[in-house]
């Protein structure tokens, strides 16, 4: 403002109206630019806000990926059903054509031998009564076979019509599933593109600061994981002591439980070994391996290596086992995250898990507290 007052003072000395008008317009323009620039700087989101927006977009993309996976699975099943029905329609159509030809053959035979069975007058006029009886028996056989052929034809025609109707309805369902699949795919792509756009707008200094924030979050998560590991160790020791002091009356039950735990431990060891072998492979939405995975694709493949079949998506996997407390979590258990159960990792002990984190990242070992304790939804033990 001091410079502006100085300028007005100089204008009065000059006494020229055009100069005053021009200078005034210039001053207004400068003030306008300053007014516009200030809010722009103020409205720019902080680094923490950018990080939160990006994480939210990745989480939404992962949720959309689950919808994509479900739609893809449904579409695959529906396509198989449609193919089976279309094959059935083709087979029934072939049977109808065969039946139609058979009926035509009976009609031609009747035409050659006579439209109806000979009557008594025909017997009286026949030169050889045996010819009459032979003709009568032939007509009777033709009539019986024709009735069977007609019944078969009508039955097959009705079945073919029903199958065609079912195939048509299944095709409509398939189209709906394919549309849902495409919508989910578009949703994922849009959210990932928006997240990439936000990250691309960061300066080199901001990216470095963001990396520092994420590193601090990682360290805090690992400290929390270490606390959980201590709690689990204490719980295991207490359980072991209780088992050792149990009476002989409960020995049978304890032995049965120990056998069950041993069977689970064996399968879990195979599961964890498989997951560890995938560390470093990229996260790709909708991928189930072997070169890349999304979160539920990894857990499904890991448990499959131990002979256990899990559903494809997180919100189905969360019901495919027994829910246990966090302190009772064992290697091989599934850890689910967020209220919409949109993420899952494979617990490996000591508060750590192996998971496919998000687009742009790789399968890695990480604390289950990577996004805070509140993000953990539940722990489920498959098999």
């Amino acid at each position: 403002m001091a410079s502006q007052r100085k300028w007005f003072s100089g204008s009065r000395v000059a006494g020229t109206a055009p100069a005053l008008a021009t200078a005034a317009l210039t001053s207004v323009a400068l003030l306008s630019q300053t007014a516009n620039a200030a809010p722009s700087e103020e409205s720019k989101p902080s680094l923490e806000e950018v990080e939160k927006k990006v994480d939210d977009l990745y989480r939404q993309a992962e949720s959309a990926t689950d919808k994509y996976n479900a739609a893809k699975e449904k579409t695959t099943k529906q396509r198989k059903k449609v193919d089976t029905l279309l094959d059935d329609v083709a087979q029934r159509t072939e049977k109808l054509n065969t039946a139609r030809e058979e009926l035509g053959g009976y009609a031609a035979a009747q035409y050659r031998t006579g439209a109806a069975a000979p009557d008594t007058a025909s017997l009286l006029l026949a030169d050889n009564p045996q010819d009459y009886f032979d003709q009568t028996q032939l007509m009777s056989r033709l009539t019986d076979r024709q009735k069977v052929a007609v019944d078969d034809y009508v039955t097959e025609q009705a079945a073919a019509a029903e199958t065609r109707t079912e195939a048509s309805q299944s095709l409509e369902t398939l189209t709906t599933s394919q549309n849902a699949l495409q919508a989910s795919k578009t949703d994922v792509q849009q959210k990932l593109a928006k997240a990439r756009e936000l990250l691309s707008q960061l300066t080199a200094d901001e990216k470095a600061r963001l990396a520092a924030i994420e590193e601090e979050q990682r360290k805090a998560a690992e400290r929390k994981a270490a606390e959980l590991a201590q709690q689990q160790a204490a719980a295991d020791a207490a359980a072991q002591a209780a088992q050792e002091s149990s009476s002989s009356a409960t020995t049978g039950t304890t032995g049965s439980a120990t056998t069950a735990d041993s069977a689970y431990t064996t399968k879990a060891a195979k599961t964890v070994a498989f997951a560890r072998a995938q560390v470093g492979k990229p996260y790709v939405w909708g991928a189930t391996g072997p070169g890349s995975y999304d979160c539920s694709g990894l857990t499904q493949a890991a448990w499959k290596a131990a002979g256990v079949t899990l559903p494809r998506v997180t919100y189905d996997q969360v019901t495919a086992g027994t829910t246990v407390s966090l302190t009772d979590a064992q290697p091989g258990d599934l850890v689910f995250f967020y209220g919409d159960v949109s993420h899952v990792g494979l617990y490996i002990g000591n508060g750590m898990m192996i998971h496919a984190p998000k687009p742009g990242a790789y399968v890695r070992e990480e604390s289950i507290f990577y996004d805070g304790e509140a993000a953990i939804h539940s722990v489920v033990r498959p098999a």
Side-chain angles (χ1 to χ4, degrees), residues 21 25 55 61 68 74-75 124 140 147 175 212 223 236 259 266 277 309 312 372:
L25 288 171
D55 285 345
Y68 169 84
K74 184 176 181 181
T75 299
L124 294 174
S140 177
K147 286 179 180 179
T175 301
R223 287 193 293 271
D236 289 344
T259 301
T266 300
T309 301
R312 174 65 184 91

Side-chain angles (χ1 to χ4, degrees), residues 262-279 293 295-310 317 330-335 344-349 353-355 363 365 380-383:
S262 177
Y264 180 79
T265 301
T266 300
K267 291 179 180 179
K270 293 180 181 178
T271 301
V272 172
F274 177 91
R276 280 206 166 97
Q278 313 313 307
V279 170
Y293 298 89
C295 67
S296 57
L298 176 63
T299 51
Q300 184 188 49
W303 268 104
K304 185 178 181 181
V308 177
T309 301
L310 292 181
Q317 288 185 6
Q330 296 179 14
D333 291 350
L334 303 177
V335 186
V344 61
L346 183 73
Y347 192 65
I348 58 174
M353 66 178 174
I354 296 175
H355 69 147
V363 176
E365 292 187 17
V380 172
R381 185 163 299 154

Side-chain angles (χ1 to χ4, degrees), residues 35-230:
N36 290 335
S40 175
E41 290 298 323
E42 292 174 2
S43 63
K44 183 178 179 180
S46 68
L47 200 57
E48 290 76 10
E49 289 173 333
V50 170
E51 182 190 29
K52 185 178 184 307
K53 285 183 180 179
V54 170
D55 285 345
D56 285 345
L57 285 167
Y58 279 145
R59 193 150 50 244
Q60 291 170 28
E62 195 158 35
S63 180
T65 297
D66 253 1
K67 293 178 181 177
Y68 169 84
N69 290 336
K72 183 178 180 181
E73 190 172 38
K74 184 176 181 181
T75 299
T76 301
K77 290 179 179 178
Q78 194 63 34
R79 185 178 288 112
K80 288 180 180 178
K81 182 178 180 181
V82 168
D83 289 343
T84 299
L85 286 169
L86 290 177
D87 288 343
D88 194 12
V89 168
Q91 291 174 4
R92 290 188 181 281
T93 299
E94 187 176 350
K95 287 181 180 179
L96 279 173
N97 291 336
T98 301
R100 191 178 292 111
E101 291 174 0
E102 187 176 359
L103 286 174
Y106 286 133
Q110 280 186 334
Y111 179 79
R112 288 193 301 269
T113 57
D119 54 18
T120 306
S122 300
L123 173 60
L124 294 174
L125 295 174
D127 295 333
N128 185 351
Q130 186 62 43
D131 291 341
Y132 169 82
F133 289 113
D134 290 343
Q135 186 179 19
T136 301
Q137 291 176 1
L138 173 62
M139 289 302 302
S140 177
R141 286 196 299 273
L142 283 174
T143 301
D144 291 341
R145 291 177 184 175
Q146 186 176 20
K147 286 179 180 179
V148 172
V150 169
D151 289 342
D152 289 345
Y153 180 81
V154 171
T155 300
E156 197 61 45
Q157 192 175 39
E162 184 178 349
T163 304
R164 278 193 295 269
T165 299
E166 187 178 359
S168 177
Q169 292 172 344
S170 293
L171 280 171
E172 291 179 7
T173 303
L174 176 60
T175 301
T176 301
S177 298
Q178 287 174 328
N179 291 339
L181 181 65
Q182 185 57 47
S184 298
K185 182 178 181 179
T186 301
D187 192 18
V188 173
Q189 290 172 331
Q190 288 175 343
K191 286 177 171 58
L192 294 182
K194 193 170 182 180
R196 285 192 292 267
E197 181 183 356
L198 283 171
L199 291 173
S200 69
Q201 293 172 357
L202 296 178
T203 64
D205 180 59
E206 287 174 330
K207 289 178 180 178
R209 285 166 52 205
L210 182 60
I213 291 173
E214 291 178 344
E215 177 63 16
E216 182 54 38
Q217 290 174 339
R218 184 188 66 78
K219 289 179 180 178
E222 289 186 352
R223 287 193 293 271
K224 188 69 177 176
E227 292 176 12
L228 177 62
Q230 290 178 347

